[in-house]
Amino acid sequence: MNAEAQTFMGTTQMPKDPDWWRGAVIYQIYPRSFQDSNGDGVGDLNGITGRLPHVASLGVDAIWISPFFTSPMKDFGYDVSDYCDVDPMFGSLADFDVLVDTAHQLGLRVMIDLVLSHTSDQHPWFAESRASKDNDRANWYVWADAKPDGTPPNNWLSIFGGSAWQWDARRCQYYLHNFLTSQPDLNFHEPAVQEALLKVVRFWLDRGVDGFRLDTINFYIHDKQLRDNPALAEEKRNPISAPAVNPYTWQEHLYDKNQPENLDFLRKLRKIMDEFGAAAVGEVGDDLYGLDILGEYTSGGDKVQMSYAFELLSPKQPDAAYVADVMALVDEKAPEGWVCWAFSNHDVPRHVSRWNLPDAAARAYITLMMCLRGSVCLYQGEELGLPEAELHFEDLQDPYGIQFWPEFKGRDGCRTPMVWDRMALNGGFSAGVPWLPVSQDHLPRAVGEQERDPGALLHHYRKTIAFRHSHAALAKGTQSKVQATGSIVHFQRQSDTETIFVAVNLSGEPAQVAMPEGDWHQIGIELGSAAGFPDGRLHLGPWQPAMAVLHRG
């Protein structure tokens, strides 16, 4: 955990460290499913506050809270109708203030999820914009005339299915929506829109937040000319940001997102964040150019500090060769950038199910992640090794899953309630009927069960996070070329004070690799780290890591 927080005039302030985000471990909380404090079946801010000691016990640096703003909840908070208030189902602004203060007292920084690319169609801004073509906010959303035959202005598609354009009878025009039809896209080519959103940023920073997770950061700005996206050849399709059954993956998204003007807005955003020592992680969703955009958005020290990479959120289990290839691409495309790695989040199936991992493999992968250059995002329940929950169609809440069922089952399976106590009603999540069913398969992995088991995965997560924080080279150091020797991925991390060698066997079979030259001393024994043999080689068991520090005497 970071240095102790400082209390000033009754409000707990975190230590001023503009570089706090570099190498940080961030714990994502999906508020609907973390803890319900009032028995209505939906998690809330007071529930989060009550469970923060568990999060702090992991040793993480920060929490990221998914949206809790006022919303009609068509996309469960990612459709915002008031950026500067809390939806009543989650509590109040006063509850949020208590949450922030409690987190800071526990040494946890607070990041919140800002959805700036679009709003709900219930937002007052949109109500005014759609009322006429000449009001003060007429240009705040992306409006376009129909083609002469009445069809949409171009071929852009929505991630949630169908055309990205929705006809509006009031204006007799189409409006753009990259997601649900009830999520109209804001027009970032309008300066007043950017000014309004930057005021939202300042509102939350003034309230004590330490940073932001920026939803769909590369969707902010569209091509002014509304040019058609070209078709993408089948052999080039790489379904990372959307499932293969979604025709969205059949286009090369040159014009509906990823526009160069976005850099100017990110610089304005960074300037405000720097006033507060805040940081942001951007979500870059793109199947072809994700790492290029990540490198562009996180370089130069004047845009966002870090950005998501989807390469380890993909359906493909990352074997040693894949990890080496991904890291080589990062070195090539984002040499000055900073990646935030994650295996799971609220949008993808949980990784232990996605990759069919045994418990030993889950340990190996989190050990590897804690040793890679970059920052880390953990998703609630990941520390318990929760598998993807299996839901019946009638239990689904996610419109994405309902649209593409059964070939794509949506995101509800990773959003089911957190399990705290195996013997308690609903796993200790709620005294009421949960908004999604509590998975019976999760109960044996509840927090209380794992706390009592010294060999549980939960304790391994704590140990790996502590190991990362105890070595400056792992948190913020440089990284050598990542290599794959058979099933073993290996590399070195270096800081001013230490050089660490890392090797992880990403296989259920024993494997060997040569130790690098030098006087290496075994570390990470608490993580199952192997020692070098007299023959100068590492003999790793299934899913076993090895870490060693170079003696510089």
Side-chain angles (χ1 to χ4, degrees), residues 221-491:
I221 297 182
H222 65 284
D223 174 50
K224 263 189 171 181
Q225 299 177 52
L226 303 183
R227 286 171 283 189
D228 281 346
N229 284 327
L232 186 63
E234 186 172 359
E235 63 272 14
K236 292 185 178 180
R237 295 174 194 166
N238 181 31
I240 292 178
S241 61
V245 296
N246 188 344
Y248 185 86
T249 63
W250 301 1
Q251 290 185 356
E252 185 174 3
H253 293 273
L254 294 183
Y255 299 115
D256 51 347
K257 57 185 181 182
N258 307 336
Q259 300 306 294
E261 299 97 321
N262 205 23
L263 298 176
D264 294 331
F265 176 76
L266 296 182
R267 290 188 181 98
K268 294 174 187 175
L269 175 65
R270 177 63 178 267
K271 190 174 180 181
I272 294 175
M273 289 194 299
D274 282 348
E275 294 177 32
F276 294 83
V281 53
E283 179 200 27
V284 173
D286 194 85
D287 296 345
L288 299 181
Y289 307 111
L291 289 178
D292 301 84
I293 298 165
L294 182 151
E296 190 175 32
Y297 286 10
T298 62
S299 64
D302 62 345
K303 296 175 283 292
V304 294
Q305 288 85 352
M306 48 189 167
S307 196
Y308 250 96
F310 275 75
E311 278 65 24
L312 300 183
L313 287 163
S314 72
K316 176 180 173 58
Q317 181 176 340
D319 58 19
Y322 181 78
V323 172
D325 288 345
V326 168
M327 298 305 152
L329 282 172
V330 171
D331 290 343
E332 173 193 343
K333 298 178 178 297
E336 299 178 21
W338 195 262
V339 182
C340 194
W341 298 110
F343 293 143
S344 288
N345 67 20
H346 65 293
D347 280 335
V348 297
R350 290 184 176 274
H351 70 277
V352 294
S353 295
R354 203 167 74 240
W355 302 333
N356 192 28
L357 300 182
D359 194 63
R363 293 169 187 262
Y365 276 109
I366 192 58
T367 300
L368 171 62
M369 181 176 282
M370 289 298 167
C371 293
L372 289 172
R373 181 179 183 269
S375 299
V376 172
C377 271
L378 308 177
Y379 180 52
Q380 65 182 51
E382 175 183 339
E383 73 275 22
L384 307 177
L386 297 185
E388 183 80 351
E390 291 294 329
L391 297 173
H392 298 295
F393 180 78
E394 55 267 26
D395 292 324
L396 291 188
Q397 302 289 331
D398 181 17
Y400 201 1
I402 293 169
Q403 173 76 8
F404 288 101
W405 178 277
E407 284 73 17
F408 173 63
K409 297 183 179 180
R411 301 164 295 178
D412 288 327
C414 67
R415 296 177 175 183
T416 57
M418 185 78 169
V419 285
W420 301 98
D421 183 345
R422 181 178 188 173
M423 303 307 294
L425 179 67
N426 298 317
F429 166 70
S430 175
V433 178
W435 76 286
L436 281 175
V438 173
S439 171
Q440 296 303 300
D441 293 336
H442 288 180
L443 292 175
R445 291 182 170 269
V447 172
E449 296 297 302
Q450 297 203 29
E451 289 287 10
R452 290 187 287 272
D453 177 4
L457 183 63
L458 171 61
H459 300 297
H460 185 78
Y461 266 72
R462 288 183 175 132
K463 291 172 185 175
T464 59
I465 294 168
F467 182 74
R468 179 182 181 87
H469 285 325
S470 65
H471 293 282
L474 297 181
K476 300 183 180 181
T478 59
Q479 182 169 282
S480 69
K481 177 180 172 61
V482 176
Q483 301 179 69
T485 300
S487 62
I488 297 176
V489 60
H490 52 99
F491 51 92

Side-chain angles (χ1 to χ4, degrees), residues 161-197:
S163 172
W165 296 96
Q166 176 67 23
W167 180 253
D168 184 81
R170 294 176 183 86
R171 287 186 48 148
C172 283
Q173 285 183 306
Y174 284 96
Y175 66 82
L176 178 67
H177 62 93
N178 278 298
F179 299 93
L180 295 175
T181 58
S182 58
Q183 292 171 299
D185 272 61
L186 284 161
N187 179 17
F188 275 70
H189 291 293
E190 171 57 59
V193 168
Q194 294 194 21
E195 291 171 15
L197 294 174

Side-chain angles (χ1 to χ4, degrees), residues 93-112:
L93 282 171
D95 295 333
F96 179 78
D97 293 341
V98 171
L99 189 161
V100 171
D101 193 55
T102 304
H104 286 173
Q105 290 182 43
L106 292 168
L108 296 167
R109 297 184 189 270
V110 178
M111 306 178 78
I112 64 172

